[in-house]
Amino acid sequence: MSLSITFSRTALSFGRNTRNLRAANITSTAPIASAGHARCLSSDSESSLKQAATSATPTTGSNPERIKYFKVYRWDPEQAQKPYVSTYPVDLNDCGPMVLDALLKIKSEQDPTLTFRRSCREGICGSCAMNINGSNTLACLSYIDDDTKAATKVYPLPHMYVVKDLVPDLGNFYEQYRSIEPWLQPEGDKEKGQAEYLQTKQDRSKLDGMYECILCACCSTSCPSYWWNSDKYLGPAVLMQAYRWIEDSRDGSTKKRLEDLDDAFKLYRCHTIMNCTKVCPKNLNPGRAIANIKKKLASEH
């Protein structure tokens, strides 16, 4: 008998609270309690529902817009006009933290003609390399500056032919990479039953800081020597990859690789300005790799 009285009182209390919620024009998204759950409601259920109603009341002005302006380089080869800069407003409260998030939001909501490369969004593929606020970097790893008074300037990688908008032509860059033959060239054939070409942990550690390169071209396009001699000078990224194979204990073409690099333009256009190391989004040091190539060549002369 006492059990049914408790249920009746609780049900009446639950009904009054439901009417109060309706009177306040609040829609509850929580699932409706079953009769079994209603029997377990405590005496303070009414106060709990009132607290829920208060927290569900919408507040105005709690999140004012934070408008950030992005000035983006635009050029379409199919249009008869010179390159120009478009300005796009983005509410940072409704956008991810990275510059790539803002570009995707602009393309999705404001201007579908905006063109740029992107893929992994994790700093692995190197597709979204561009010049942001004067520095080469990856858009997916570049945080948006919270200062809404200053616009963020986004340009393609400098001193490169532009295909469209923020897309540079990397044909010459990849051709230079191909020229160093970036694959393992062992001294002899594998022995019968041999699976892999093994190396010691010490030899393997020599490749650290080079194999992580994602060929985004941020370093090469920040190098003044590469700006003026990109047709002959291989640039920091390609030279670091060349040294990666020179240092590989499993490779049998070290002498040939060094001879190919012993050129006034291919290698020695590097003047250790070190812009390459400063801008590398993977925190690698191409300048040191180039210096090591020069030291190896000097020791052989």
Side-chain angles (χ1 to χ4, degrees):
M1 183 66 178
S2 59
L3 194 64
S4 62
I5 292 173
T6 304
F7 171 74
S8 301
R9 288 176 179 174
T10 306
L12 288 172
S13 175
F14 186 80
R16 286 198 299 272
N17 291 327
T18 304
R19 287 195 295 274
N20 291 337
L21 284 172
R22 288 173 179 170
N25 292 324
I26 297 174
T27 302
S28 174
T29 58
I32 299 174
S34 65
H37 290 149
R39 285 194 294 269
C40 299
L41 289 174
S42 61
S43 60
D44 61 345
S45 59
E46 184 174 355
S47 60
S48 299
L49 285 172
K50 286 183 178 179
Q51 290 178 0
T54 304
S55 63
T57 304
T59 57
T60 56
S62 60
N63 249 346
E65 286 186 338
R66 293 191 302 138
I67 301 300
K68 176 80 173 181
Y69 290 95
F70 289 81
K71 295 182 179 292
V72 183
Y73 176 96
R74 303 298 308 276
W75 180 70
D76 187 346
E78 297 181 356
Q79 303 295 327
Q81 59 180 340
K82 294 182 179 180
Y84 61 96
V85 173
S86 288
T87 302
Y88 302 97
V90 175
D91 183 5
L92 297 186
N93 291 330
D94 190 30
C95 180
M98 303 299 181
V99 173
L100 182 60
D101 293 318
L103 292 175
L104 289 169
K105 186 176 178 64
I106 292 169
K107 184 176 179 67
S108 174
E109 300 177 3
Q110 299 185 43
D111 189 350
T113 66
L114 179 61
T115 306
F116 52 90
R117 291 190 180 107
R118 88 288 183 277
S119 183
C120 73
R121 301 182 65 166
E122 298 291 340
I124 296 173
C125 70
S127 299
C128 62
M130 53 189 72
N131 186 280
I132 300 173
N133 285 334
S135 180
N136 293 352
T137 186
L138 299 178
C140 65
L141 296 183
S142 178
Y143 283 96
I144 299 174
D145 183 8
D146 288 334
D147 184 8
T148 56
K149 296 180 180 179
T152 295
K153 300 176 181 179
V154 184
Y155 286 77
L157 291 176
H159 293 266
M160 302 282 278
Y161 290 107
V162 175
V163 178
K164 183 182 179 183
D165 294 343
L166 301 175
V167 180
D169 184 356
L170 296 176
N172 180 63
F173 176 77
Y174 288 126
E175 182 62 24
Q176 290 174 324
Y177 180 59
R178 185 204 61 79
S179 71
I180 66 168
E181 299 181 355
W183 54 83
L184 188 66
Q185 300 177 19
E187 191 170 359
D189 296 332
K190 285 185 176 180
E191 298 179 0
K192 186 176 181 180
Q194 181 180 355
E196 301 108 356
Y197 292 99
L198 303 179
Q199 60 184 164
T200 64
K201 291 182 178 180
Q202 291 75 18
D203 287 337
R204 167 60 187 81
S205 65
K206 294 178 181 179
L207 307 182
D208 291 340
M210 294 185 288
Y211 78 88
E212 300 95 331
C213 174
I214 57 177
L215 295 173
C216 63
C218 283
C219 62
S220 292
T221 54
S222 71
C223 174
S225 295
Y226 192 77
W227 296 348
W228 314 133
N229 303 284
S230 60
D231 57 332
K232 299 178 182 177
Y233 174 49
L234 293 181
V238 173
L239 286 174
M240 185 170 69
Q241 287 303 301
Y243 186 62
R244 175 254 179 274
W245 294 105
I246 290 170
E247 274 291 271
D248 198 323
S249 61
R250 301 165 298 174
D251 192 82
S253 300
T254 302
K255 184 177 180 180
K256 175 181 176 296
R257 294 182 189 276
L258 287 171
E259 289 174 352
D260 289 342
L261 295 177
D262 193 3
D263 179 85
F265 277 92
K266 283 185 179 180
L267 174 65
Y268 292 101
R269 286 298 93 185
C270 172
H271 299 306
T272 60
I273 300 172
M274 302 303 288
N275 279 0
C276 53
T277 301
K278 181 179 179 181
V279 303
C280 177
K282 305 295 286 186
N283 296 316
L284 307 181
N285 194 339
R288 180 171 57 191
I290 296 172
N292 286 335
I293 295 175
K294 292 178 180 179
K295 287 168 63 177
K296 280 187 174 292
L297 284 171
S299 65
E300 291 189 359
H301 287 310

